Coordinates of all heavy atoms in Angstrom, one line a residue:
G777 N 74.2 77.5 37.8 CA 74.0 76.0 37.8 C 74.2 75.5 39.1 O 74.4 74.2 39.2
K778 N 74.5 76.3 40.1 CA 74.8 75.6 41.5 C 73.8 76.2 42.5 O 73.2 77.2 42.3 CB 76.3 76.1 41.8 CG 77.3 75.5 40.9 CD 78.7 75.7 41.4 CE 79.1 74.9 42.7 NZ 80.4 75.1 43.1
E779 N 73.8 75.5 43.6 CA 73.1 75.9 44.8 C 73.6 77.1 45.5 O 74.8 77.3 45.4 CB 72.8 74.7 45.7 CG 72.1 73.5 45.2 CD 70.6 73.8 44.8 OE1 70.0 74.6 45.6 OE2 70.1 73.4 43.9
R780 N 72.8 77.9 46.2 CA 73.4 78.9 47.0 C 74.2 78.3 48.1 O 73.9 77.3 48.8 CB 72.2 79.8 47.4 CG 72.8 81.1 48.2 CD 71.7 82.1 48.3 NE 70.4 81.6 48.8 CZ 69.2 82.3 48.8 NH1 69.1 83.5 48.3 NH2 68.2 81.8 49.3
E781 N 75.4 78.9 48.3 CA 76.3 78.5 49.3 C 76.8 79.6 50.3 O 76.8 80.7 49.9 CB 77.6 77.8 48.6 CG 78.5 78.7 47.9 CD 79.7 78.0 47.5 OE1 80.0 77.0 47.8 OE2 80.4 78.7 46.6
F782 N 77.1 79.0 51.5 CA 77.5 80.1 52.7 C 79.0 80.5 52.3 O 79.8 79.6 51.8 CB 77.5 79.2 53.9 CG 78.2 80.0 54.9 CD1 77.6 80.9 55.6 CD2 79.5 79.6 55.4 CE1 78.1 81.7 56.8 CE2 80.0 80.2 56.4 CZ 79.4 81.2 57.2
V783 N 79.3 81.8 52.5 CA 80.6 82.3 52.4 C 81.1 82.7 53.7 O 82.3 82.3 54.0 CB 80.5 83.6 51.5 CG1 81.8 84.2 51.4 CG2 79.9 83.2 50.0
A784 N 80.4 83.5 54.4 CA 81.1 84.0 55.8 C 79.8 84.6 56.7 O 78.7 84.9 56.1 CB 82.1 84.9 55.6
V785 N 80.2 84.7 57.9 CA 79.1 85.3 58.7 C 79.9 86.1 59.9 O 81.0 85.8 60.3 CB 78.3 84.2 59.5 CG1 79.1 83.2 60.3 CG2 77.0 84.8 60.1
I786 N 79.2 87.1 60.3 CA 79.8 88.0 61.5 C 78.7 88.1 62.5 O 77.6 88.3 62.2 CB 80.2 89.3 60.9 CG1 80.9 90.1 62.1 CG2 79.0 90.1 60.4 CD1 81.6 91.4 61.6
S787 N 79.1 87.9 63.8 CA 78.1 87.9 64.9 C 77.8 89.4 65.2 O 78.5 90.3 64.8 CB 78.8 87.2 66.1 OG 79.8 87.9 66.6
P788 N 76.8 89.5 66.1 CA 76.4 90.9 66.5 C 77.7 91.6 67.1 O 77.7 92.9 67.0 CB 75.2 90.8 67.4 CG 74.6 89.4 67.1 CD 75.7 88.5 66.5
S789 N 78.5 90.9 67.9 CA 79.6 91.5 68.5 C 80.9 91.6 67.7 O 81.9 92.2 68.1 CB 80.0 90.7 69.8 OG 80.4 89.4 69.5
G790 N 80.8 91.1 66.4 CA 82.0 91.3 65.5 C 82.8 89.9 65.3 O 83.9 90.2 64.6
G791 N 82.4 88.9 65.8 CA 83.1 87.7 65.6 C 82.9 87.2 64.2 O 81.8 87.1 63.7
V792 N 84.0 86.6 63.5 CA 83.8 86.4 62.1 C 84.2 84.9 62.0 O 85.1 84.2 62.5 CB 84.9 87.1 61.2 CG1 84.8 86.6 59.8 CG2 84.6 88.6 61.3
Y793 N 83.4 84.2 61.2 CA 83.6 82.8 60.7 C 83.6 82.8 59.2 O 82.7 83.1 58.5 CB 82.7 81.8 61.2 CG 82.6 80.4 60.7 CD1 84.0 79.6 60.8 CD2 81.8 79.9 59.8 CE1 84.2 78.5 60.2 CE2 82.0 78.6 59.3 CZ 83.1 77.9 59.6 OH 83.2 76.7 58.9
S794 N 84.8 82.4 58.6 CA 85.0 82.4 57.2 C 85.8 81.2 56.8 O 86.9 81.2 57.1 CB 85.6 83.7 56.7 OG 85.8 83.6 55.3
P795 N 85.2 80.2 56.2 CA 85.9 78.9 55.8 C 87.1 79.3 54.9 O 88.1 78.7 54.9 CB 84.9 78.1 55.1 CG 83.6 78.6 55.8 CD 83.7 80.0 55.8
D796 N 86.9 80.3 54.0 CA 88.1 80.6 53.0 C 88.7 81.9 53.5 O 88.0 82.9 53.6 CB 87.4 80.8 51.7 CG 88.4 80.9 50.5 OD1 89.4 81.4 50.8 OD2 88.0 80.6 49.3
S797 N 90.0 81.9 53.8 CA 90.7 82.9 54.3 C 90.9 84.1 53.3 O 91.3 85.2 53.8 CB 92.2 82.5 54.8 OG 92.9 82.0 53.6
R798 N 90.5 83.9 52.1 CA 90.6 85.1 51.2 C 89.3 86.0 51.5 O 89.4 87.1 50.9 CB 90.4 84.5 49.8 CG 91.6 83.7 49.3 CD 91.3 83.2 47.8 NE 90.2 82.4 47.6 CZ 89.3 82.7 46.8 NH1 89.4 83.6 46.0 NH2 88.2 81.8 46.9
F799 N 88.4 85.7 52.2 CA 87.3 86.4 52.5 C 87.1 86.7 54.0 O 87.4 85.9 54.8 CB 86.0 85.7 52.0 CG 85.9 85.3 50.7 CD1 86.4 84.0 50.2 CD2 85.5 86.1 49.6 CE1 86.4 83.7 48.9 CE2 85.5 85.7 48.4 CZ 85.9 84.5 48.0
T800 N 86.8 87.9 54.3 CA 86.5 88.3 55.7 C 85.3 89.4 55.7 O 85.1 90.0 54.6 CB 87.9 89.0 56.4 OG1 87.5 89.1 57.7 CG2 88.2 90.3 55.8
V801 N 84.7 89.4 56.7 CA 83.5 90.3 57.1 C 83.9 91.3 58.2 O 84.6 91.0 59.1 CB 82.4 89.5 57.5 CG1 81.0 90.4 57.4 CG2 82.2 88.4 56.5
S802 N 83.3 92.5 58.0 CA 83.4 93.4 58.9 C 82.1 94.2 59.0 O 81.2 94.2 58.2 CB 84.5 94.6 58.6 OG 84.3 95.2 57.5
R803 N 81.8 94.9 60.2 CA 80.6 95.5 60.4 C 80.7 96.8 61.2 O 81.6 97.0 61.9 CB 79.5 94.7 61.0 CG 79.7 94.4 62.5 CD 78.7 93.3 63.1 NE 77.4 93.7 63.0 CZ 76.3 92.9 63.1 NH1 76.5 91.6 63.0 NH2 75.1 93.4 63.0
D804 N 79.8 97.8 60.9 CA 79.8 99.1 61.6 C 78.3 99.2 62.1 O 77.5 99.6 61.3 CB 80.2 100.2 60.7 CG 80.3 101.5 61.4 OD1 79.6 101.7 62.5 OD2 81.0 102.4 61.0
N805 N 78.1 98.9 63.3 CA 76.8 98.9 63.9 C 76.2 100.3 63.9 O 74.8 100.4 63.9 CB 76.8 98.3 65.3 CG 76.9 96.8 65.2 OD1 76.7 96.1 64.1 ND2 77.3 96.0 66.2
A806 N 77.0 101.2 64.1 CA 76.6 102.7 64.1 C 76.0 103.0 62.8 O 75.1 103.8 62.9 CB 77.7 103.6 64.6
K807 N 76.6 102.7 61.8 CA 76.3 103.0 60.4 C 75.2 102.0 59.8 O 74.7 102.2 58.6 CB 77.5 103.1 59.6 CG 78.3 104.4 59.9 CD 79.4 104.4 59.0 CE 80.4 105.6 59.3 NZ 81.4 105.7 58.4
H808 N 75.0 100.9 60.5 CA 74.1 99.8 60.0 C 74.6 99.2 58.7 O 73.9 99.0 57.6 CB 72.7 100.2 59.8 CG 72.0 100.6 61.2 ND1 70.8 101.0 61.0 CD2 72.4 100.5 62.3 CE1 70.5 101.3 62.4 NE2 71.4 101.1 63.2
T809 N 75.9 98.9 58.6 CA 76.5 98.3 57.3 C 77.4 97.1 57.7 O 77.9 96.9 58.8 CB 77.4 99.4 56.6 OG1 78.5 99.9 57.4 CG2 76.6 100.6 56.2
V810 N 77.6 96.3 56.7 CA 78.3 95.1 56.7 C 79.0 95.0 55.4 O 78.5 95.1 54.5 CB 77.7 93.8 57.3 CG1 76.6 93.6 56.3 CG2 78.7 92.7 57.3
D811 N 80.4 94.7 55.5 CA 81.1 94.5 54.4 C 81.8 93.1 54.1 O 82.0 92.5 55.1 CB 82.4 95.6 54.3 CG 81.9 97.1 54.1 OD1 80.8 97.2 53.9 OD2 82.7 98.0 54.2
L812 N 82.0 92.8 52.9 CA 82.7 91.5 52.6 C 83.9 91.9 51.8 O 83.7 92.5 50.6 CB 81.8 90.5 51.8 CG 82.4 89.3 51.3 CD1 82.8 88.4 52.5 CD2 81.6 88.4 50.4
Q813 N 85.1 91.6 52.3 CA 86.4 91.9 51.6 C 86.8 90.6 51.0 O 86.8 89.6 51.7 CB 87.4 92.5 52.6 CG 88.7 92.7 51.9 CD 88.8 93.8 50.9 OE1 88.2 94.9 51.3 NE2 89.3 93.7 49.8
M814 N 87.0 90.7 49.6 CA 87.4 89.5 48.9 C 88.7 89.8 48.2 O 88.8 90.7 47.4 CB 86.3 89.2 47.9 CG 84.9 89.0 48.4 SD 83.7 88.5 47.0 CE 83.7 90.0 46.1
N815 N 89.7 88.9 48.5 CA 91.0 89.0 47.9 C 91.4 87.9 47.1 O 90.8 86.8 47.3 CB 92.0 89.4 49.2 CG 91.8 90.6 50.1 OD1 91.4 91.6 49.3 ND2 91.9 90.4 51.3

């Protein structure tokens, strides 16, 4: 029942912006993966 909303983003170099501190993003460019850790 809600619109899609932004959670977090990670830059190509690994900088993270996450409005909610419970969530963080990481990436492994060699493996072509990105993770969202939710606590």
Side-chain angles (χ1 to χ4, degrees):
K778 300 185 68 176
E779 298 293 323
R780 187 157 55 187
E781 67 175 347
F782 171 78
V783 176
V785 64
I786 186 167
S787 73
S789 61
V792 174
Y793 173 62
S794 178
D796 193 328
S797 63
R798 298 177 300 130
F799 302 95
T800 192
V801 190
S802 60
R803 70 190 297 160
D804 187 331
N805 287 339
K807 296 182 178 180
H808 294 184
T809 59
V810 59
D811 290 354
L812 176 67
Q813 179 66 45
M814 305 185 293
N815 298 322

